[in-house]
Every structure is written in structure tokens, then in C-alpha cells.
Amino acid sequence: MNTLRQLFQKHLAQTSDSPLMLEINKAEGVFLFGPNGEEYFDLISGISVSNTGHGNPEIVSAVQKQAADYMHLMVYGEYVQKPQVELSEKLCSILPENLNSVYLVNSGSEAVEGALKLAKRFTGRSEIVAFKNAYHGSTHGALSIMGCEEQKRNFRPLLPDVRFLNFNVEDDLKQITDKTACVIVEPIQAEAGIRIPSLQYVKKLRERCNETGALLIFDEIQTGIGRTGKMFAFEKLGVVPEVLLLAKAFGGGMPLGAFVSSQEIMSVLTNNPILGHITTFGGHPVSCAASLAALNFLSSNKIVDEVDNKGKIIADELAKHPLVKEVRQIGLMIAVELGSFEKVQALIQYGLKHGFIVDWFLFCNTAVRIAPPLIITEEQCRRVAKLITDGLNSIS
């Protein structure tokens, strides 16, 4: 009989020729457990998804209750479904006044696709401005605005009229013009290795969009839902976009995404043509129930308020190590720069043998990614820093 690992390789389409092949039987809190009881600190949270921790009782309960009431009923937008309405109301209550209309989808890539359509339809323009080393997803439209030619070369032709700027370079902002439908940007570039812009740059970006009439789209798919020490990264930067994109942690562990804008902007999807954007499973009731429980959990327990300090505990300790060239940190979003892909891989492999999981970045393979669930305790942060320090000592 084939083992589970053999069946995995035989029947699941692979994304690389060297999958991690880590088999997990259970997950709880900040830990993953293997089939023989192996325990791992999950320091990547499924790439910033499991912010509320694995097996969160409040979210599990919400999922179970909603699944018992009903699951799929009808394509998005036709029926009044309580989980969708309550989630949207909650989300809008913690967002600025102009972000008051929510379109629920299945994933981050879908949120990106919907936002690009929305910007083109509202402005009547076709040009999209994105950034080098940006990651927005792998569907065709999202791939078109990915800031890495190597990742998309073999899938061309892609969307036309896409212009790429250098991130955090003010002089490039003059390339945003009255032909630009939208500027889509990660407020903190994630896959580029946690690149944090200056507050002045973000302010200038906002001003340039105002001058040209281009919609500013913030992709907060990784940074949203508490990861940076605020519920949304734009709160730290002091700039509000016209369109906000959410996914990953937004679903509380379930698949869910959203693009959020004003009622005025969003209304263009209702006419010329009607059904300007449609989805069958977007805003699935069970996912919405999980999302609402996650938002309530984070806000009622004041977990987000503690994120900055937890991140600093890890970052400050690792920055002392002679092998570490730089630590880039905002909240519990940390890049530990080692300057070498080989050293990063060695630390990843060390972690798998010594009880912790870290990762690298898609466009920065010389740095280690650390992004644990936000519920990690300060004591666990100190333990994690010690484990990683031991790993760095072993590869020095």
C-alpha cells in the first residue's frame, strides 16, 4: 500500500520539484504536530494566515455552528445571508468612512482581480501602475502586476498597459498620470523581504493619486488583520486608500478574500453591464462565520496591541548575532537578512530537525521569514529567538 507521502507526490499537482514534504496531523495554538508527535513552532502561520492561532476554539465553534445551519445557498449577492452581512458590518465599523462597501471573494488573487476591474470601470482608464518586487497572486491579472519578470515570462502575453515603479522612490511617482486607472501597492512589501516605506513616500504617493485621479489600491492581503501591530498597515502609515484588499488571515483559517471601497465606486459593478463581477463561492457562509469570529477574537482580547512588542523581542535578539546582516521588522512580520540563500536553506533545514518552521521570501531568498501566529506569548518569543540563535550558531 502506498504511504500518504507517496500518494501526495502521485496525485497532488506539485509547485516545485522539491516540496517540503512535512506531514502534519494536528495543529494547535502556535504549534504543528507530526504523525509521531513531533512538535514544531509554526513561525510562518501558513504565510500570514493563522493569525489567531491553530484550532482557535471560538473560530472552530463558529464554523461548526454555521455549517450546521447552512453552507452554500446561491451565487454571491442574490440572497441576504446573515454571515456575509454581519461580517461586512463588522469590517466597515473598524475601517475609515470611505471604505464602507465590501465585495467578498474566495482568495487574495480574486480580490486583486476584482479591484483591477473596479478601477478600470470606475475611471474609464486602462493603465495600471504596480511596483517592482511586488507580489499580488498567480492568476493572469494578478500575475500581470507581479514585479518579477522571471515568474511570469513563460505565461505571456499578459495584461497590457502595466507600468512598474521602484518602491519607496519618490522620483518615480511622476510616472503616475491622468491616464492611470489605479496604483496597486503593498503598504509593506512582503515577498520582497519586508520592505517598509518612509511615511513621506507614502504621503507623496497619496498626493500623486489625488492629483491624477488614479485610485490607490492597498494590497493588505499579508499585512492586514493585525500582522503589523495595527489591524491594518495603512493605520501605521497614516494614508487611506480608495480600495483595500484583504485575504489570508481575514478568513480566520478559512478561504476568504475581499476588496473594499466606497459605495459610490463599488456601484459601477451593478450596471453597464449588470453583474459586473460575479462569484459562486465568494463570501461562503462558513468562511464568513470564521472571519467574524476571528475579528471579534482579535479585538476583544487586545491581541493586536501586543504584536509590536512581541516582534521586537524576536528581532532585537536575532539582530545581535554576527551572522545577521540586518533585521527588517514591523509587528510580527520579520525578515532576518543572512546575505546567502545557502545559509537561509541551512537554517530552514535545521529548524525542521529542532522544532521550528521558518521560510524564505519569493523575491528575497537571502532572508529568513518569521511571522508566527499573533497569539504567540512573549515567553514563547524568547524561546523562539533562542532556538533560531542556536540554529544560526550551527551554520556559522
Side-chain angles (χ1 to χ4, degrees):
M1 180 181 292
N2 288 329
T3 66
L4 191 63
R5 292 166 66 88
Q6 289 170 329
L7 292 171
F8 166 81
Q9 292 185 304
K10 182 177 180 180
H11 294 300
L12 266 73
Q14 300 295 312
T15 58
S16 78
D17 57 8
S18 56
L20 201 56
M21 297 293 289
L22 188 64
E23 188 174 341
I24 299 299
N25 280 24
K26 184 176 174 59
E28 184 174 351
V30 298
F31 294 103
L32 306 180
F33 299 94
N36 298 310
E38 306 94 329
E39 181 181 273
Y40 306 92
F41 266 109
D42 180 6
L43 302 183
I44 55 177
S45 306
I47 314 301
S48 298
V49 168
S50 306
N51 287 13
T52 53
H54 298 285
N56 184 296
E58 294 180 30
I59 298 173
V60 170
S61 176
V63 165
Q64 291 172 333
K65 182 180 183 306
Q66 183 56 48
D69 288 343
Y70 62 83
M71 290 190 278
H72 179 70
L73 298 179
M74 180 56 169
V75 296
Y76 176 84
E78 293 299 317
Y79 291 0
V80 178
Q81 300 184 51
K82 184 179 178 182
Q84 295 178 349
V85 174
E86 289 186 341
L87 171 60
S88 298
E89 180 188 33
K90 172 67 176 180
L91 181 59
C92 291
S93 75
I94 59 175
L95 286 170
E97 189 176 348
N98 69 303
L99 297 173
N100 56 26
S101 183
V102 182
Y103 197 115
L104 297 164
V105 291
N106 298 282
S107 68
S109 291
E110 288 185 49
V112 169
E113 298 285 350
L116 296 182
K117 287 175 62 179
L118 179 67
K120 286 184 172 183
R121 175 68 180 83
F122 182 76
T123 63
R125 306 172 183 178
S126 62
E127 183 181 76
I128 299 167
V129 168
F131 290 84
K132 295 174 184 177
N133 288 329
Y135 181 82
H136 298 289
S138 290
T139 51
H140 254 75
L143 191 64
S144 301
I145 56 172
M146 180 187 290
C148 176
E149 181 60 27
E150 182 181 354
Q151 290 287 321
K152 60 189 182 183
R153 182 180 298 119
N154 291 328
F155 302 103
R156 289 191 177 278
L158 296 169
L159 287 180
D161 295 342
V162 179
R163 181 190 300 271
F164 290 93
L165 310 186
N166 293 293
F167 187 69
N168 204 27
V169 176
E170 286 186 32
D171 194 52
D172 275 16
L173 297 179
K174 66 180 69 169
Q175 297 181 54
I176 303 167
T177 72
D178 58 9
K179 295 180 180 179
T180 305
C182 63
V183 178
I184 182 166
V185 61
E186 301 162 277
I188 287 89
Q189 281 199 326
E191 294 307 316
I194 316 303
R195 306 294 175 174
I196 305 166
S198 71
L199 296 181
Q200 176 177 305
Y201 172 77
V202 180
K203 181 181 178 182
K204 294 286 187 182
L205 171 60
R206 173 70 275 176
E207 290 173 354
R208 186 60 181 164
C209 288
N210 290 345
E211 292 167 1
T212 60
L215 299 188
L216 180 57
I217 301 173
F218 270 9
D219 178 344
E220 293 229 32
I221 290 164
Q222 278 202 53
T223 58
I225 319 302
R227 177 58 55 185
T228 66
K230 290 287 187 181
M231 190 62 80
F232 309 100
F234 72 75
E235 296 177 274
K236 282 204 160 185
L237 301 178
V239 164
V240 179
E242 275 82 32
V243 185
L244 175 69
L245 309 184
L246 300 172
K248 290 189 178 291
F250 178 54
M254 295 290 288
L256 188 67
F259 56 104
V260 187
S261 190
S262 67
Q263 290 181 343
E264 176 195 3
I265 294 173
M266 203 74 84
S267 67
V268 300
L269 296 179
T270 67
N271 60 85
N272 194 26
I274 63 167
L275 305 178
H277 195 70
I278 52 176
T279 170
T280 297
F281 288 111
H284 192 282
V286 177
S287 294
C288 288
S291 177
L292 180 60
L295 291 179
N296 287 335
F297 174 81
L298 288 173
S299 58
S300 64
N301 290 282
K302 300 190 182 304
I303 288 170
V304 178
D305 295 342
E306 303 168 353
V307 165
D308 268 326
N309 188 53
K310 292 174 181 178
K312 285 183 174 66
I313 289 172
I314 298 172
D316 290 351
E317 190 61 35
L318 296 182
K320 300 174 185 176
H321 198 280
L323 205 63
V324 174
K325 299 183 179 300
E326 182 185 21
V327 177
R328 298 181 291 274
Q329 176 256 335
I330 183 167
L332 277 166
M333 204 174 186
I334 305 168
V336 181
E337 183 62 60
L338 301 182
S340 160
F341 176 70
E342 289 72 25
K343 290 176 181 175
V344 168
Q345 292 302 311
L347 185 61
I348 291 171
Q349 293 304 315
Y350 176 93
L352 294 178
K353 296 175 183 176
H354 294 86
F356 66 89
I357 299 170
V358 291
D359 198 14
W360 48 282
F361 297 93
L362 191 58
F363 305 138
C364 183
N365 63 13
T366 60
V368 174
R369 180 201 309 268
I370 300 174
L374 307 186
I375 62 164
I376 192 170
T377 66
E378 292 185 4
E379 187 275 330
Q380 287 172 333
C381 287
R382 285 185 276 272
R383 284 174 57 193
V384 162
K386 176 65 166 59
L387 285 170
I388 297 174
T389 297
D390 291 344
L392 291 170
N393 290 337
S394 78
I395 64 174
S396 296

